[in-house]
Amino acid sequence: MIRIVTLERLDPTDLAFLTGTLYRAFGVGTEHAGDRHLPADAEGKDGRVDAIRLLKDAPPVRSLPDDKVLYITSAPLSLPKGPLGEPPCWGFAEFGGERAVISTSRLPARGVTEASIETWRKRLAREAIHALGHTWDLHHCYDARCAMHPSWSQGLAERPEMELCTFCREKSERKIRLAKT
Amino acid sequence: MKPGDRVVYPNQGVYRVVGVVEMDIGGKRQSFVRMQSEENPAATVSVPREKVPAIGLRRVATGEQMEGVFHYLAAQFDDPELDWKVRHRDNADRLIAGGVLGVAEVVKGLHSLSRIRPLPTKEREQYDNARHLLVHEIAVSLGVPAVLAEDYVDYALMPPAGVKFDLKPPPTPVLLPSRPKKRRPVAEDEDDLGLSDLGIDIDLAGALEGAAALPEGDLPAAEGEEGEAATPGAEAPAAEAGGDEADEGEGDDAAARPAKAAAKTQPKAAKAAPKEKAPAKAAKPAAKKPEKKAEKKPAPKKATKPAAKPAAKRGGKKK
Ligand SMILES: [Zn+2]
Ligand SMILES: [Zn+2]
């Protein structure tokens, strides 16, 4: 089961769209586990929240083994600098683990038109699939139309894809099946 | 090698040395290095001590070496091997004997190629496998979570728009000692013939791959699951089988054991399993053949223009 925890309120229709999309992507039941607060001291000096720490300190929700917990925040996330710099962060996850987090801060503006809201929802769902995919052992994918493609991929803003490619989908299905048995 | 050391078991992942244990194998006292998977601590393997070099166990790359890896990943790459059979075999070798840079080479090479056309299934799996190995070694080496390590990899491989790096000259990948590189595919060796005969040739890669590695699709993660389910069992068989191998002097084959819990009771069957022609004989000579080293050439590269060739092939060869 995927349990979504919102760290700020999310529009119920956005949430409904997200749970439906996640169910379709992974074939796993998805529910909103409620709102929680961002840990009080989560915000760093630069106004961003350390994604690794957030996952560690995020308020727990009741979950069963093999459940996945997806946190959604509007706070911008930061990552420790790597050998070539700091990669931009849309979300973060425990590889093969339980928790994932995504941030809405880098999504295109939600706006008020039907089209802009739809784009926003799709992009949110795409990041959710990506982050949760990591919890099922998925790596990044070279297929630009796959949700496991790095989130800074160019062109993503215009056509957010909410699908996993066949390879990633089958891999996640194997993993999910394995967890069930 | 002492307890606490972290080592890379080629094609399997990062392990932590637990200690050295003495075991009786078929009435023979033997020393085994016991190791625990970093990814899945429930999975342990024991390998005969004297087989450690043959298996290719190596230390996890240092931070400094890793920096080189990132400069390598971010560097230009315009020379993909276009013959998939040669490529697949070379890549299998790199994963086993190329060190961390060899693993990065596989990731980078296949990534570059994937931009020209989608990879065939076998290579898609090899790519994922290489990525898995690289990501986890980076994670351990730099002390960061795996997902972050993977972001680092792709930040280097395919930087976001507008990001430019101040790159140092990348390190040169080690030349594989096993056989000369053929850069120019010969006619009958042309690619896209299908994947059915993949890995059937008895050569180093075939031998190592069949013997020392899991079937490619079986990522260490999957292996972990197995280990989790049957840990106590999983350990003994490794040792047992390893001991068996030790007698026969098949270091490479022994490498397969820890992963194959199923092999425990019938090592012979397992040996034959990967292919009809069990690489029992091939493994050893291939690993040692010094005469072949001489033939190794850095190879006149730039034989073909990457962009042109695949297009021609795509048109001409598919079915
Ligand atoms: Zn990712
Ligand atoms: Zn994919």
Side-chain angles (χ1 to χ4, degrees):
Chain A
M1 173 135 229
I2 300 168
R3 298 173 194 275
I4 299 174
V5 179
T6 38
L7 297 173
E8 288 89 19
R9 272 192 62 81
L10 210 61
D11 186 289
T13 51
D14 293 345
L15 208 47
F17 181 87
L18 180 62
T19 49
T21 310
L22 288 177
Y23 177 73
R24 277 192 299 280
F26 295 110
V28 170
T30 305
E31 66 160 30
H32 183 215
D35 295 318
R36 296 284 193 287
H37 288 292
L38 196 67
D41 56 348
E43 201 171 292
K45 277 179 234 110
D46 60 358
R48 300 186 298 163
V49 171
D50 182 319
I52 298 175
R53 254 191 81 193
L54 190 155
L55 268 202
K56 254 188 219 127
D57 302 343
V61 293
R62 264 204 336 179
S63 61
L64 299 168
D66 299 325
D67 277 358
K68 304 296 178 188
V69 182
L70 174 70
Y71 295 91
I72 305 179
T73 179
S74 61
L77 300 175
S78 67
L79 291 170
K81 227 173 125 179
L84 296 181
E86 181 190 335
C89 182
W90 278 257
F92 187 71
E94 297 166 345
F95 188 84
E98 185 196 50
R99 292 177 164 202
V101 60
I102 54 172
S103 165
T104 56
S105 69
R106 281 180 175 274
L107 304 189
R110 186 168 176 277
V112 290
T113 67
E114 222 170 89
S116 70
I117 291 174
E118 194 190 327
T119 304
W120 187 87
R121 282 178 184 162
K122 281 187 174 170
R123 189 65 210 269
L124 179 76
R126 193 262 182 206
E127 294 313 322
I129 294 170
H130 182 107
L132 286 166
H134 283 313
T135 69
W136 273 300
D137 287 6
L138 294 190
H139 286 293
H140 285 169
C141 180
Y142 58 69
D143 185 343
R145 289 161 308 174
C146 175
M148 293 314 293
H149 198 61
S151 301
W152 52 81
S153 165
Q154 290 156 45
L156 207 55
E158 298 86 67
R159 37 162 193 78
E161 305 279 351
M162 305 183 299
E163 308 275 327
L164 293 171
C165 71
T166 312
F167 179 87
C168 293
R169 191 181 171 98
E170 284 174 356
K171 190 178 169 190
S172 70
E173 280 170 359
R174 279 197 300 275
K175 192 73 197 168
I176 291 166
R177 231 180 295 128
L178 210 66
K180 278 184 188 150
T181 53
Chain B
M1 204 174 283
K2 56 183 189 309
D5 280 358
R6 281 173 307 179
V7 294
V8 174
Y9 194 135
N11 245 336
Q12 306 296 329
V14 180
Y15 282 75
R16 181 185 293 268
V17 176
V18 179
V20 176
V21 290
E22 299 280 320
M23 280 189 264
D24 269 326
I25 306 297
K28 216 175 119 192
R29 200 105 182 113
Q30 261 194 292
S31 247
F32 288 85
V33 179
R34 181 172 291 178
M35 303 176 299
Q36 187 177 36
S37 165
E38 279 283 295
E39 241 185 283
N40 172 17
T44 56
V45 299
S46 300
V47 297
R49 205 173 183 171
E50 74 265 27
K51 291 291 160 199
V52 164
I55 287 166
L57 277 186
R58 60 175 174 85
R59 268 175 214 290
V60 166
T62 63
E64 199 180 324
Q65 288 167 325
M66 272 307 174
E67 200 173 328
V69 165
F70 282 97
H71 286 268
Y72 173 81
L73 288 173
Q76 282 297 325
F77 182 88
D78 58 359
D79 186 28
E81 168 60 64
L82 293 174
D83 181 331
W84 73 265
K85 275 195 214 160
V86 174
R87 191 172 66 222
H88 189 271
R89 200 183 58 182
D90 286 356
N91 282 342
D93 285 1
R94 287 184 181 110
L95 292 180
I96 291 174
V100 67
L101 203 55
V103 182
E105 226 185 326
V106 176
V107 170
K108 187 170 175 61
L110 291 179
H111 183 265
S112 304
L113 206 75
S114 76
R115 302 190 137 186
I116 304 171
R117 57 178 162 181
L119 301 177
T121 312
K122 269 281 171 194
E123 285 195 295
R124 181 65 184 84
E125 281 167 7
Q126 189 177 49
Y127 176 67
D128 203 60
N129 188 23
R131 210 167 236 281
H132 192 84
L133 296 168
L134 182 62
V135 159
H136 282 84
E137 185 165 358
I138 292 169
V140 170
S141 171
L142 302 183
V144 299
V147 169
L148 179 56
E150 182 145 25
D151 275 349
Y152 289 167
V153 166
D154 288 291
Y155 191 63
L157 267 182
M158 40 173 298
V163 172
K164 285 269 176 304
F165 301 124
D166 190 11
L167 292 177
K168 297 178 197 156
T172 316
V174 290
L175 282 170
L176 296 165
S178 52
R179 63 166 148 258
K181 291 281 167 287
K182 248 191 321 180
R183 298 307 301 196
R184 203 186 272 281
V186 294
E188 98 258 55
D189 220 4
E190 283 264 87
D191 74 16
D192 280 2
L193 292 174
L195 296 166
S196 50
D197 54 347
L198 245 198
I200 284 186
D201 4 17
I202 293 298
D203 54 19
L204 174 66
L208 289 184
E209 218 186 312
L214 293 167
E216 263 185 60
D218 257 331
L219 299 180
E223 168 208 344
E225 235 60 49
E226 227 172 72
E228 227 155 45
T231 314
E235 189 177 326
E240 201 179 89
D244 223 4
E245 295 318 323
D247 292 334
E248 295 165 43
E250 290 168 19
D252 296 316
D253 203 24
R257 288 315 142 76
K260 293 235 175 235
K264 79 180 101 175
T265 45
Q266 330 104 314
K268 294 294 171 199
K271 197 178 299 169
K275 263 122 237 169
E276 288 295 342
K277 312 172 224 173
K281 290 276 134 54
K284 196 68 183 197
K288 303 202 128 168
K289 239 173 234 172
E291 68 272 22
K292 279 214 164 187
K293 273 179 208 163
E295 297 172 41
K296 157 86 52 198
K297 294 173 194 110
K301 297 192 169 191
K302 311 268 185 251
T304 47
K305 194 101 180 120
K309 192 80 184 267
K313 274 181 186 161
R314 195 160 30 212
K317 309 230 95 174
K318 276 268 151 69
K319 312 242 152 103

